[in-house]
Amino acid sequence: MAAIRAVLAFLAGLQHLRTAAAGSPWVYSDNALIPDGTIRITTLGSGSPDVRKEQLASGFLVEVGNKQQDKFIFDLGTGAYINLWATGVPMAQLTKVFITHLHSDHHADLASLYVGAMFGRRQPWEVWGPSGEEPQLGTAAAVEGLRQFMAWDTHARRRIDLVGRKDDGDKVVVHEFDHRVKNQVVLDRNGVRVTATPVEHYRTGGPVAYRMDWQGLSFTYSGDTRPTDTLSQLAKGSNVFIMQNMGPIEDLAGLSFESQLLINTSHITPQQAGAIFAATQPRLAVAHHLTVNAASRAAIIQDIRKGYPKGELIINEDLNVYEITRNSVKVKRRLVPPRSWGFWHAESNWQQQQQKQVLLSEAAVASL
Ligand SMILES: *[C@@H]1O[C@H](CO)[C@@H](O)[C@H](O)[C@H]1NC(C)=O
Ligand SMILES: [Zn+2]
């Protein structure tokens, strides 16, 4: 009951926010400093290849309230850059990217982010991602191909660079790691630890899930996978568990052979997700990578609840925010301006934004 009430409160909250957003000419975001003891996850895209204006493909912005105010991107699929840009976070702070796997709905918008050197990135762009079964299928090869894809773009932008930038914004450092290694720490910096573990997707080696730990706070993001022990192990005890789902699937046996094969080898159904949430017991369970609309929502919740009758549960939507602290996990909605702020990503504008904007509203609070 508490969980249903939380979902209802959340929906009511969103209704309220939408009204506020429509009625006001002003901007809603929250670019204030992230308080110490807080991890904030913003959903840039909650969707899948079934991309649409309401739901961009998978991507997350993760902000950590440490001294460095570290920011991380986890996946940046088709369209997710739109919401990243809309948050107004300066490019200078968006240097660290983690990719779960090299499917377009998880990495296609990297090209737009790569151009960020033009918009204020001054440090090298760092990309973490798995190796492939062969060198040319790994993250390093993908990034090298991306640089080639963007060669004219980079060259032309430098031509009209009148100030003669001499920073490292165009440089790229790829941290490709062996995708076969379980529970591998791939980043340990400023107190933030990111661990990767292999998952199973499309019968092709490479895909991983990630977990971040900082000051006893944690979240796990599954990437795309079928149910695997490695994922459950990684997620165990994490505060927030963002799990890829595909469905609802009323009748697996009624699907075509191809669809069955796709689900069985590559994805987690909402019903399976319920069982995995029950086994891993996160403080907040987030069902992600679903096509969410009025018709699908109830069926998805019903399916997940078969195996996970209790516990806080959210069906992910674009710009949902999960704020983790020692005492709570808060669910919010990030409000972004209806129109672009142009070059507001510049550091100078950022300072002004910090003073003006504190209006990220609290839609609901998921209790412990
Ligand atoms: C998919 O899994 C279901 C349930 O385990 C099974 O009945 C079905 O035969 C499988 N289909 C394929 C194509 O693998
Ligand atoms: Zn996907």
Side-chain angles (χ1 to χ4, degrees):
M1 271 325 278
I4 293 171
R5 271 202 303 279
V7 170
L8 289 177
F10 180 62
L11 293 176
L14 293 188
Q15 218 50 49
H16 169 72
L17 292 185
R18 285 209 183 97
T19 315
S24 166
W26 202 226
V27 165
Y28 305 81
S29 187
D30 181 1
N31 291 335
L33 294 179
I34 310 297
D36 193 13
T38 303
I39 294 179
R40 181 200 286 167
I41 305 166
T42 299
T43 305
L44 304 172
S46 57
S48 64
D50 181 22
V51 68
R52 57 206 181 102
K53 273 189 347 192
E54 294 76 15
Q55 270 192 295
L56 307 172
S58 290
F60 296 91
L61 168 66
V62 177
E63 301 169 273
V64 176
N66 58 5
K67 205 166 101 238
Q68 296 77 12
Q69 291 283 299
D70 272 320
K71 302 197 189 304
F72 305 85
I73 291 166
F74 283 79
D75 282 352
L76 200 65
T78 314
Y81 181 78
I82 295 170
N83 278 336
L84 180 63
W85 183 262
T87 62
V89 175
M91 279 296 152
Q93 300 185 22
L94 299 176
T95 57
K96 298 183 281 295
V97 185
F98 288 80
I99 300 296
T100 59
H101 65 297
L102 297 163
H103 261 160
S104 59
D105 62 316
H106 295 258
H107 87 317
D109 274 14
L110 286 184
S112 299
L113 188 61
Y114 174 64
V115 177
M118 256 314 276
F119 303 119
R121 188 174 62 238
R122 298 290 171 255
Q123 302 295 318
W125 197 46
E126 290 186 84
V127 182
W128 283 259
S131 63
E133 290 171 352
E134 301 161 39
Q136 68 267 28
L137 297 178
T139 302
V143 170
E144 196 41 52
L146 170 69
R147 280 160 73 76
Q148 195 54 43
F149 181 61
M150 301 304 285
W152 188 91
D153 183 300
T154 312
H155 180 80
R157 289 181 199 275
R158 278 204 197 110
R159 275 266 166 96
I160 61 154
D161 164 26
L162 300 179
V163 292
R165 287 197 297 106
K166 290 212 170 47
D167 56 66
D168 290 333
D170 280 333
K171 294 210 175 112
V172 182
V173 179
V174 182
H175 306 275
E176 181 179 294
F177 53 86
D178 186 338
H179 70 267
R180 297 164 301 183
V181 179
K182 290 180 190 166
N183 302 317
Q184 176 177 201
V185 176
V186 295
L187 172 106
D188 193 350
R189 198 187 285 177
N190 304 336
V192 180
R193 207 169 69 231
V194 176
T195 307
T197 210
V199 292
E200 293 175 30
H201 190 53
Y202 274 76
R203 291 179 166 170
T204 308
V208 297
Y210 289 113
R211 170 175 174 145
M212 176 182 283
D213 287 272
W214 173 68
Q215 287 194 358
L217 310 177
S218 56
F219 75 89
T220 295
Y221 167 43
S222 66
D224 283 5
T225 180
R226 69 193 286 270
T228 66
D229 290 344
T230 50
L231 175 63
S232 298
Q233 266 174 27
L234 186 76
K236 204 145 212 162
S238 33
N239 301 147
V240 172
F241 185 5
I242 301 168
M243 199 197 317
Q244 169 262 317
N245 278 226
M246 192 144 170
I249 293 160
E250 279 162 25
D251 176 17
L252 190 63
L255 296 178
S256 70
F257 183 81
E258 285 80 8
S259 301
Q260 283 188 20
L261 195 64
L262 179 70
I263 300 286
N264 287 5
T265 61
S266 307
H267 289 287
I268 296 172
T269 66
Q271 224 170 311
Q272 292 168 331
I276 302 169
F277 282 142
T280 48
Q281 291 293 317
R283 277 159 65 184
L284 177 68
V286 181
H288 172 72
H289 202 277
L290 288 152
T291 299
V292 182
N293 54 44
S296 68
R297 174 186 289 281
I300 292 164
I301 292 174
Q302 201 181 8
D303 270 6
I304 295 175
R305 284 303 189 198
K306 282 177 193 159
Y308 186 57
K310 293 188 297 225
E312 301 296 343
L313 169 68
I314 291 288
I315 311 302
N316 205 14
E317 290 184 61
D318 288 18
L319 296 172
N320 272 11
V321 171
Y322 308 110
E323 247 176 41
I324 311 169
T325 65
R326 194 172 291 282
N327 297 319
S328 68
V329 178
K330 290 179 178 171
V331 180
K332 301 181 178 183
R333 174 62 64 91
R334 194 160 188 147
L335 297 174
V336 297
R339 277 176 289 139
S340 168
W341 280 69
F343 287 84
W344 77 327
H345 286 248
E347 264 323 303
S348 54
N349 290 346
W350 174 245
Q351 299 302 329
Q352 294 170 14
Q353 295 302 333
Q354 286 201 355
Q355 286 156 24
K356 269 192 242 154
Q357 299 180 27
V358 283
L359 291 176
L360 186 146
S361 300
E362 207 167 301
V365 177
S367 56
L368 280 171

